[in-house]
Amino acid sequence: MPGAYADRPARDAFGRVGRWRRAVLAALALFLAAAGPDRALAEPPRLWDPGYRTATVDLGGLQRLRFLTSLDFPPFNFADANRKPTGFNVDLARAVCAELDLVDRCEIQAMPWEELEASLEARRGEVILAGHAPGAGLRARFGLSEPYFRFPARFVGRDADGDEEDGFGVRLSEGKVAVVANSPHAEMLAAFFPDAEAMPVADMPAAYTALREQEADLVFGDGVLLSFWLTSPAADDCCRFLSGPYMSDRHLGQGMVAVTRTQDRRLLDAINGALKAVEDSGAYAEIYARYFPVDPFGT
């Protein structure tokens, strides 16, 4: 059911399981080490309607703005070599603080995922920025920002199959598509591409193996995970994104949101305004490019 899926953390939609953490961290470390100042910026899709009007909020009386996060959801939030919080969400929190002119009162606190909501309720922080997905259950207990990140579904195919985009149509109509069985992506594949022949597999590593060994012609899954796999040694430059990104609130949820206490409405308005300003200024695109080796929305 869409509602039930929407209540799941976005980190689970991304595929946050133990076996992925080490592989994603390794790929991220290699990418950041190799990235130079001349690297072209990725172009993330705009999340905010240019006509969206944000409220002007005075937070001058706020003594400190504490963002709560975790350290087990790379590349969004994880520990650097000195065990300090880093990642997309952490840098975004700092950019929000800068927009609100609260840099000197801004703090990032990391803790286990399971403790985040209780810590917010106990006033040990003001905002959670760790990978929550909006849903009715969460919305009933907390204030939620507008989504600041969306997860696209993507197809990946072998480079050896040629560069013609027509090749994608042939593979989709005549070949097999590896997809994790009983997953939101399997449901989405059936709904969006009913004529495609799905090849159910146990997990994403099995999908990659099927693609590389030519048992499958395509893989369909989360674009963020796929972007890291494409640059990993395991992929060995075998494959690339084919066709464009596909979005679905019904199957993939609405992405990730910041979480505040329900009564902190003024703060939530300020967070929304700052998130839009970060996108408008180009700072969001800089942060986005910093953490994604291959643009999950790109070609």
Side-chain angles (χ1 to χ4, degrees):
M1 295 293 292
Y5 180 71
D7 275 333
R8 293 172 55 191
R11 57 209 283 119
D12 291 336
F14 174 75
R16 192 196 71 85
V17 290
R19 61 179 172 271
W20 278 109
R21 184 176 187 275
R22 190 173 302 169
V24 173
L25 273 173
L28 177 63
L30 288 171
F31 166 67
L32 293 178
D38 296 329
R39 182 169 56 89
L41 292 181
E43 290 292 340
R46 286 195 64 91
L47 296 171
W48 292 87
D49 185 332
Y52 185 94
R53 295 290 178 263
T54 57
T56 301
V57 181
D58 181 8
L59 296 178
L62 191 67
Q63 293 184 345
R64 54 184 172 173
L65 181 54
R66 295 168 294 181
F67 283 87
L68 306 179
T69 192
S70 62
L71 297 178
D72 60 351
F73 186 33
F76 296 99
N77 22 277
F78 60 101
D80 66 13
N82 298 315
R83 297 300 299 166
K84 293 182 178 180
T86 191
F88 179 93
N89 284 336
V90 175
D91 284 3
L92 183 61
R94 294 192 176 107
V96 166
C97 286
E99 283 293 339
L100 296 175
D101 197 23
L102 293 173
V103 172
D104 58 339
R105 286 173 277 174
C106 186
E107 299 178 12
I108 311 290
Q109 298 182 11
M111 61 187 63
W113 167 266
E114 295 76 14
E115 298 178 13
L116 290 170
E117 293 175 15
S119 295
L120 182 66
E121 291 175 320
R123 296 188 173 275
R124 292 193 287 271
E126 284 67 54
V127 185
I128 298 174
L129 205 65
H132 279 78
L138 193 68
R139 198 175 299 277
R141 298 173 54 215
F142 298 103
L144 308 183
S145 75
E146 296 296 317
Y148 64 83
F149 191 92
R150 301 290 301 275
F151 290 87
R154 297 299 304 263
F155 286 98
V156 161
R158 293 182 299 276
D159 261 332
D161 290 324
D163 294 328
E164 294 291 333
E165 189 63 20
D166 308 325
F168 166 72
V170 172
R171 277 176 274 179
L172 185 63
S173 62
E174 300 180 3
K176 295 181 179 180
V177 183
V179 63
V180 176
N182 302 314
S183 68
H185 292 95
E187 296 174 4
M188 187 174 173
L189 180 68
F192 280 42
F193 306 97
D195 295 330
E197 182 180 352
M199 177 182 172
V201 294
D203 52 26
M204 289 304 291
Y208 301 147
T209 297
L211 181 64
R212 293 200 60 189
E213 295 184 357
Q214 301 189 34
E215 296 171 358
D217 300 275
L218 298 166
V219 167
F220 187 66
D222 176 76
V224 175
L225 270 180
L226 288 168
S227 74
F228 278 91
W229 179 73
L230 286 172
T231 60
S232 71
D236 194 26
D237 294 325
C238 72
C239 309
R240 63 184 177 87
F241 282 136
L242 294 173
S243 191
Y246 297 91
M247 309 299 299
S248 172
D249 288 356
R250 175 181 177 85
H251 297 99
L252 306 180
Q254 295 177 331
M256 297 194 296
V257 296
V259 182
T260 67
R261 288 180 290 272
T262 303
Q263 59 268 38
D264 291 344
R265 184 67 217 185
R266 292 176 64 254
L267 176 60
L268 182 59
D269 288 342
I271 294 296
N272 274 322
L275 287 171
K276 183 177 186 299
V278 167
E279 181 179 86
D280 290 344
S281 70
Y284 183 94
E286 293 178 5
I287 296 169
Y288 181 91
R290 198 174 298 154
Y291 290 101
F292 297 105
V294 175
D295 184 359
F297 289 88
T299 57

